[in-house]
Amino acid sequence: MFEQNFKVMDKINEISKLGEFGLIDKLTSGFEIKNSSTKKGIGDDAAVLNYEKKQTVVTTDLLIEGVHFNLAYVPLKHLGYKSVAVNLSDICAMNAVPKQITVSIAVSNRFSVVALEELYEGIKLACKFYSVDLIGGDTTSSSKGLLISVTAIGEADADKIVYRNTAKVNDLICVSGNLGGAYAGLQLLERENEIFKHNPKMQPNLSEYNYIVGRQLKPEARTDIVKLLDGINILPTSMIDISDGLSSELFHICKQSGVGCKIFEDKIPIDEQTKLFASELSIVPAIFAMNGGEDYELLFTVKQEEFGKIEPLQDISIIGHTVKDKETKALITKDGKSVRIEAQGWSSFQ
Ligand code: ADP
Ligand code: MG
């Protein structure tokens, strides 16, 4: 895994030979339009969309090599997939359905055409999996490194869009999936990369930790959770996706909604591999969940009356509830102590 990117990054700059238009053609070939709202995709000065009676939800992210990703251990195909998935996650967090993306890249001459094709293979895989259309973008050069910007567009009925600022007092606080795995995976990859840098003959054995590595390298947007909640007629009172760790996202919902929160350590869903790796580092696993990031699960609140509908769901955990006092942001630990949640301060409850 650690050598993969170097193989495809030969130093010959074939990009200039191909030319900008040749490159765009090569990268964007084989993408199919799947959504009727896409009236015109790639190939004109602008794409044309028609959402008819739905509302449009738009979000964008900029990813910079060395800041947001490290190509020493992130395969380009995974990077392409993840760049799309994290944007679609923001659309899900509005309770909307993603339909289109644009992808813009800036590349230095360190990258070969084959390397960029790898990146676009990942983008294509995500487009296929989530049924979204690639409808445009921009391609330019950078003096150093790779930059990727993805914009995602989605649709929702006006009365179904869910914001961060609408949680009410005594709502149940819920999360999808499990938390902390992506951060654990990142710590593991960083550690193995350091070992590899000092001894390139040492190939890491990550098989014991394949799940957390996957959580870091190939996160998914929870379009399935949006569908699931809709299917059982639950409209969350507020929602956000977990990109920066549970603490930080709880703070956003509480601050914007004008409520406090109380959550329970033993209710936070954490996978076995995350626990195992945390114990290897002598860290309480809940810290990975609270202050790690990039899990891209959904954090949402629902009315208490929905308890009976939510409780049986395998992939959703009720981790606490909102409270009236805005100042209260409490984590009740396994031994019953109440600890103040800090936006990022994870030493506070170790
Ligand atoms: P313009 O000169 O109008 O910016 P371009 O030549 O950059 O047009 O792009 C031509 C077409 O290819 C447009 O539809 C544009 O959206 C699309 N495109 C350009 N770069 C990319 C990219 N990296 N990924 C996807 N589509 C792209
Ligand atoms: Mg352009």
PDB file of all heavy atoms in Angstrom, residues 20-21 24 137-139, ligand 2:
ATOM      1  N   GLU A  20      -4.753  20.085 -22.060  1.00  0.00           N
ATOM      2  CA  GLU A  20      -5.827  20.200 -21.078  1.00  0.00           C
ATOM      3  C   GLU A  20      -7.103  19.489 -21.537  1.00  0.00           C
ATOM      4  O   GLU A  20      -7.708  18.737 -20.789  1.00  0.00           O
ATOM      5  CB  GLU A  20      -6.107  21.680 -20.805  1.00  0.00           C
ATOM      6  CG  GLU A  20      -7.137  21.880 -19.711  1.00  0.00           C
ATOM      7  CD  GLU A  20      -7.590  23.331 -19.577  1.00  0.00           C
ATOM      8  OE1 GLU A  20      -6.793  24.229 -19.888  1.00  0.00           O
ATOM      9  OE2 GLU A  20      -8.751  23.544 -19.176  1.00  0.00           O
ATOM     10  N   PHE A  21      -7.475  19.706 -22.796  1.00  0.00           N
ATOM     11  CA  PHE A  21      -8.743  19.123 -23.254  1.00  0.00           C
ATOM     12  C   PHE A  21      -8.645  17.616 -23.374  1.00  0.00           C
ATOM     13  O   PHE A  21      -9.576  16.888 -23.028  1.00  0.00           O
ATOM     14  CB  PHE A  21      -9.179  19.760 -24.576  1.00  0.00           C
ATOM     15  CG  PHE A  21      -9.377  21.238 -24.439  1.00  0.00           C
ATOM     16  CD1 PHE A  21      -8.688  22.141 -25.256  1.00  0.00           C
ATOM     17  CD2 PHE A  21     -10.228  21.754 -23.460  1.00  0.00           C
ATOM     18  CE1 PHE A  21      -8.858  23.504 -25.099  1.00  0.00           C
ATOM     19  CE2 PHE A  21     -10.388  23.114 -23.293  1.00  0.00           C
ATOM     20  CZ  PHE A  21      -9.704  24.002 -24.116  1.00  0.00           C
ATOM     21  N   ILE A  24      -8.956  16.255 -19.864  1.00  0.00           N
ATOM     22  CA  ILE A  24     -10.344  16.290 -19.365  1.00  0.00           C
ATOM     23  C   ILE A  24     -11.147  15.165 -20.004  1.00  0.00           C
ATOM     24  O   ILE A  24     -11.876  14.439 -19.330  1.00  0.00           O
ATOM     25  CB  ILE A  24     -10.999  17.672 -19.647  1.00  0.00           C
ATOM     26  CG1 ILE A  24     -10.300  18.764 -18.827  1.00  0.00           C
ATOM     27  CG2 ILE A  24     -12.491  17.651 -19.312  1.00  0.00           C
ATOM     28  CD1 ILE A  24     -10.713  20.189 -19.190  1.00  0.00           C
ATOM     29  N   GLY A 137     -16.490  20.635 -13.833  1.00  0.00           N
ATOM     30  CA  GLY A 137     -15.340  20.857 -12.968  1.00  0.00           C
ATOM     31  C   GLY A 137     -14.348  21.760 -13.656  1.00  0.00           C
ATOM     32  O   GLY A 137     -14.673  22.419 -14.650  1.00  0.00           O
ATOM     33  N   ASP A 138     -13.153  21.769 -13.155  1.00  0.00           N
ATOM     34  CA  ASP A 138     -12.101  22.555 -13.780  1.00  0.00           C
ATOM     35  C   ASP A 138     -10.784  21.823 -13.577  1.00  0.00           C
ATOM     36  O   ASP A 138     -10.616  21.078 -12.615  1.00  0.00           O
ATOM     37  CB  ASP A 138     -12.068  23.964 -13.172  1.00  0.00           C
ATOM     38  CG  ASP A 138     -11.423  24.964 -14.128  1.00  0.00           C
ATOM     39  OD1 ASP A 138     -11.285  24.645 -15.334  1.00  0.00           O
ATOM     40  OD2 ASP A 138     -11.052  26.055 -13.673  1.00  0.00           O
ATOM     41  N   THR A 139      -9.865  22.027 -14.513  1.00  0.00           N
ATOM     42  CA  THR A 139      -8.578  21.359 -14.445  1.00  0.00           C
ATOM     43  C   THR A 139      -7.501  22.394 -14.641  1.00  0.00           C
ATOM     44  O   THR A 139      -7.517  23.128 -15.633  1.00  0.00           O
ATOM     45  CB  THR A 139      -8.470  20.297 -15.567  1.00  0.00           C
ATOM     46  OG1 THR A 139      -9.614  19.460 -15.506  1.00  0.00           O
ATOM     47  CG2 THR A 139      -7.225  19.455 -15.425  1.00  0.00           C
TER      48      THR A 139
HETATM   49 MG    MG B   2     -12.186  25.483 -17.127  1.00  0.00          MG
END
